[in-house]
Amino acid sequence: MSIVSSLSPRAVRAPESGIVEVVNYARGRDGLLPLWVGEGDLPTPEFINKAAIEALAGGETFYTYQRGIPELRQALSDYYARHFDVTLSVEHFYVTGSGMQAIQIAVQALTSPGDELVYLTPAWPNIAAALEIAGARSVGVQLTFERGRWAVDLDRIAAAITPRTKGLFINTPSNPTGWTATRDDLAAILALARKHDLWIMADEIYARYYFAGGRAPSFLDIMELDDKIMFVNSFSKNWSMTGWRVGWIVAPPHTGQVLENLIQYSTSGVAQFMQRGAVVALNDGDAFVQANIEKARHSRDILCDALIATNRVETLKPDGALYAFLKIDGVADSRKAAIDIVDKTGVGLAPGAAFGSGGELFLRACFLRDPVQIRMAADRLCDYILKL
């Protein structure tokens, strides 16, 4: 028996990230314009760093609250009152070691081995992988795609529900498609969950990146406090904190001890000095977030306008999130195309095949970058596309 074959089958089956494969292939090349991962080009702002540095220098390096320090949980409550117009006590909030850990904790809380969770595809691949590693089964339901526009088909979701289904994972605005649920979409999904007594795991990490203005519709706009909804989120995108690995869960207070226990037996809490930075991000970071949103809107327009003008790309400007999801005439293998594009243009894109069913013919570009860089990337991509 080989060393690998003696490991847990669930661990061995964990897939290699199709995004990371391309990143590792071309990382560090001269002149590279990296649009392949979901982060911007700005480092964390100094006012956030300062709070963490001062806490670190002040000796805040001991074990801390499993649910998050009280100041951070209060800051989260205030943030939701400000941006979502809801009053949620601190007992709704649980700090995690990244948005990814928030998903892992939620998966552990909501599913047992053999259970199913329905999610919309194309999708960020980590949700399906988290479910499969936990021993649950991920059930993908394709969004519809027509004339560059993505939409949800409620009949497809209903048809995917079985006696083993424990919940629905809904990411809106969506990574990678940019699909953004309307209030009516959310109401219909919630009604379906209530009918079948299902949990909803709501990933609203991109709620502020909503280009119609304000923020995207949220389940918080329509839910009752006793609805079975667990929200997963992260500091990564809004405040340029991808490397910090700090996230949070919003959940019914009655689940609190369960969530605290799961945090205890995974990371035993998030470093307190990092949480101090997160407090300042929430309390003092609204202007920074708004500037990030406006940069994303401007860069989205530059990239999408240029690509659409080739008449070789089927896409529309996404309503939300940070990504252009591109269907290029002549591309039948997105993994092969991503390698070819980075070799010939120096623009790093994520292959749509990495995002599951429905994404195979697409490529994803993150546009939360300096508009000058996005213009350069657009010019290189258009030249490549027109030569296909």
Side-chain angles (χ1 to χ4, degrees), residues 185-378:
D185 289 334
L186 296 178
I189 292 169
L190 180 55
L192 191 62
R194 288 170 174 166
K195 176 182 177 181
H196 293 277
D197 192 28
L198 303 177
W199 275 90
I200 292 175
M201 194 192 309
D203 179 350
E204 297 185 354
I205 188 172
Y206 300 103
R208 301 285 302 280
Y209 289 93
Y210 180 56
F211 303 115
R215 60 152 175 86
S218 165
F219 282 108
L220 290 164
D221 299 329
I222 59 172
M223 66 181 286
E224 302 293 336
L225 285 181
D226 61 350
D227 278 320
K228 295 164 64 173
I229 302 180
M230 196 171 288
F231 297 84
V232 294
N233 217 311
S234 169
F235 285 86
S236 291
K237 317 299 181 177
N238 288 348
W239 298 278
S240 296
M241 295 171 68
T242 51
W244 288 59
R245 318 313 299 140
V246 184
W248 73 87
I249 294 172
V250 186
H254 289 108
T255 66
Q257 193 59 54
V258 173
L259 297 178
E260 178 176 342
N261 293 345
L262 291 172
I263 292 169
Q264 165 66 32
Y265 300 125
S266 56
T267 57
S268 298
V270 175
Q272 187 161 307
F273 61 88
M274 293 166 61
Q275 293 190 59
R276 294 295 181 193
V279 170
V280 173
L282 290 166
N283 289 342
D284 301 334
D286 282 354
F288 179 81
V289 175
Q290 192 58 44
N292 255 348
I293 294 167
E294 291 308 314
K295 179 167 74 171
R297 183 198 312 274
H298 184 36
S299 293
R300 174 199 68 158
D301 292 347
I302 290 171
L303 181 62
C304 291
D305 285 345
L307 294 173
I308 292 169
T310 66
N311 292 318
R312 299 286 306 279
V313 176
E314 188 177 358
T315 191
L316 294 175
K317 295 178 184 179
D319 295 327
L322 304 175
Y323 311 101
F325 206 45
L326 315 170
K327 186 177 182 183
I328 301 171
D329 288 351
V331 169
D333 182 335
S334 60
R335 178 189 173 278
K336 181 178 178 182
I339 297 295
D340 192 50
I341 287 169
V342 76
D343 281 343
K344 293 180 178 177
T345 73
V347 177
L349 302 179
F355 300 92
S357 179
E360 297 85 353
L361 302 180
F362 292 79
L363 293 147
R364 190 194 72 175
C366 178
F367 48 68
L368 183 58
R369 300 190 71 84
D370 183 338
V372 173
Q373 292 187 21
I374 293 296
R375 171 60 67 189
M376 292 172 58

Side-chain angles (χ1 to χ4, degrees), residues 91-105:
E91 296 307 319
H92 287 84
F93 297 98
Y94 306 86
V95 180
T96 62
S98 75
M100 185 63 236
Q101 195 202 22
I103 288 174
Q104 288 177 317
I105 294 292

Side-chain angles (χ1 to χ4, degrees), residues 11-263:
V12 172
R13 288 196 300 268
E16 178 184 7
S17 168
I19 305 169
V20 173
E21 179 191 10
V22 180
V23 172
N24 288 340
Y25 173 76
R27 189 196 302 269
R29 294 189 186 184
D30 291 339
L32 181 70
L33 293 173
L35 311 186
W36 38 33
V37 296
E39 66 180 353
D41 56 349
L42 291 179
T44 306
E46 181 58 30
F47 71 92
I48 297 174
N49 293 339
K50 182 181 178 183
I53 291 168
E54 290 177 350
L56 183 60
E60 295 191 38
T61 57
F62 295 92
Y63 289 134
T64 187
Y65 296 84
Q66 306 301 296
R67 302 186 185 200
I69 60 175
E71 296 89 340
L72 180 49
R73 298 174 78 202
Q74 184 61 56
L76 284 163
S77 176
D78 296 341
Y79 176 81
Y80 274 80
R82 206 161 60 242
H83 292 289
F84 291 83
D85 195 28
V86 293
T87 300
L88 298 172
S89 74
V90 296
E91 296 307 319
H92 287 84
F93 297 98
Y94 306 86
V95 180
T96 62
S98 75
M100 185 63 236
Q101 195 202 22
I103 288 174
Q104 288 177 317
I105 294 292
V107 166
Q108 291 169 12
L110 302 184
T111 68
S112 298
D115 287 340
E116 298 176 351
L117 193 137
V118 174
Y119 70 107
L120 302 177
T121 68
W124 186 48
N126 291 35
I127 176 58
L131 285 161
E132 300 290 339
I133 290 170
R137 179 169 176 261
S138 58
V139 179
V141 172
Q142 282 194 37
L143 295 165
T144 62
F145 180 73
E146 186 174 356
R147 297 180 181 179
R149 182 69 64 190
W150 297 89
V152 65
D153 185 332
L154 270 295
D155 291 336
R156 290 186 182 182
I157 298 178
I161 295 171
T162 75
R164 300 205 67 90
T165 304
K166 291 297 293 290
L168 312 174
F169 179 87
I170 305 297
N171 169 218
T172 173
S174 160
N175 172 14
T177 64
W179 166 75
T180 302
T182 65
R183 188 185 178 102
D184 287 345
D185 289 334
L186 296 178
I189 292 169
L190 180 55
L192 191 62
R194 288 170 174 166
K195 176 182 177 181
H196 293 277
D197 192 28
L198 303 177
W199 275 90
I200 292 175
M201 194 192 309
D203 179 350
E204 297 185 354
I205 188 172
Y206 300 103
R208 301 285 302 280
Y209 289 93
Y210 180 56
F211 303 115
R215 60 152 175 86
S218 165
F219 282 108
L220 290 164
D221 299 329
I222 59 172
M223 66 181 286
E224 302 293 336
L225 285 181
D226 61 350
D227 278 320
K228 295 164 64 173
I229 302 180
M230 196 171 288
F231 297 84
V232 294
N233 217 311
S234 169
F235 285 86
S236 291
K237 317 299 181 177
N238 288 348
W239 298 278
S240 296
M241 295 171 68
T242 51
W244 288 59
R245 318 313 299 140
V246 184
W248 73 87
I249 294 172
V250 186
H254 289 108
T255 66
Q257 193 59 54
V258 173
L259 297 178
E260 178 176 342
N261 293 345
L262 291 172
I263 292 169

